[in-house]
Amino acid sequence: QAEDGIRDHCVTGVQTCALPILLQWTLQQDRYDLSLRHLWAGQDSTAWVSRGQVDDAGLAPARLVESRKGRDRAALSMDRERAELSFSGPSQRHPLVAGLQDRLSWMVQLPAIVQADPARFTAGRHVAVWVAGLRGELDLWSFEVQGREALPLLAGLDTLHLRRESLRPYDSQIGRAHV
């Protein structure tokens, strides 16, 4: 097992609610592909694809693309040589910050952070991750550890329950992230 908790994981086939969702994670050498797809009538309704590398700090996203019904709608690019974050829509640019994740890659990076030092994450503690969104936002997401929790639907799998409050109106609150 790799120390960073990323290199030996494969996740596929997640379904929640009534809408089928497919999460796919592949890793070849130091490059990753991560996709999350909402399926409707067997076809992609909405899809997000994050691609990048795995380095000493974990995931290093290069590009996130959102598509609807097979057509690209929005993208963000992380140019590591220029240390710059850019967007397909908004003309703003941001400097790359250490450990920056996109709105999809954080879902793999956060469990890897916890797995690297699980004893550090007790109730009331926080873990922070920089996350870039497709609309030009760059935010420091802070997750508060709620405690350990066994998930009955996953045969009692012991997980860490995390919570993130929304940062602004219409931002998503993450009330039950389990890692």
Side-chain angles (χ1 to χ4, degrees), residues 114-134:
V114 171
Q115 186 176 10
D117 188 7
R120 190 177 114 204
F121 298 97
T122 57
R125 299 286 305 264
H126 287 81
V127 57
V129 178
W130 282 100
V131 177
L134 291 163

Side-chain angles (χ1 to χ4, degrees), residues 61 77-86 93-98 100 138:
S77 297
M78 297 184 195
D79 185 335
R80 305 246 171 233
E81 287 182 22
R82 292 185 179 154
E84 186 176 76
L85 171 64
S86 61
R93 297 181 185 281
H94 296 291
L96 284 185
V97 294
L100 179 62
L138 177 61

Side-chain angles (χ1 to χ4, degrees), residues 38 46 48 58 93-94 139 159:
H38 290 172
T46 306
W48 296 268
R93 297 181 185 281
H94 296 291
D139 296 309
T159 64

Side-chain angles (χ1 to χ4, degrees), residues 24 26 37 122 126 154 169:
Q24 291 181 303
T26 57
R37 301 175 187 285
T122 57
H126 287 81
L154 296 175

Side-chain angles (χ1 to χ4, degrees), residues 35-109:
S35 66
L36 181 66
R37 301 175 187 285
H38 290 172
L39 304 174
W40 182 257
Q43 297 191 11
D44 286 348
S45 167
T46 306
W48 296 268
V49 177
S50 174
R51 291 191 171 103
Q53 292 182 257
V54 177
D55 61 20
D56 293 338
L59 293 187
R63 187 160 172 85
L64 174 68
V65 176
E66 177 189 55
S67 58
R68 294 183 188 270
K69 297 183 181 174
R71 302 180 85 171
D72 288 356
R73 303 294 259 181
L76 67 82
S77 297
M78 297 184 195
D79 185 335
R80 305 246 171 233
E81 287 182 22
R82 292 185 179 154
E84 186 176 76
L85 171 64
S86 61
F87 306 88
S88 63
S91 60
Q92 66 207 58
R93 297 181 185 281
H94 296 291
L96 284 185
V97 294
L100 179 62
Q101 300 300 308
D102 61 42
R103 293 284 297 223
L104 186 55
S105 67
W106 75 267
M107 294 181 199
V108 174
Q109 181 70 6

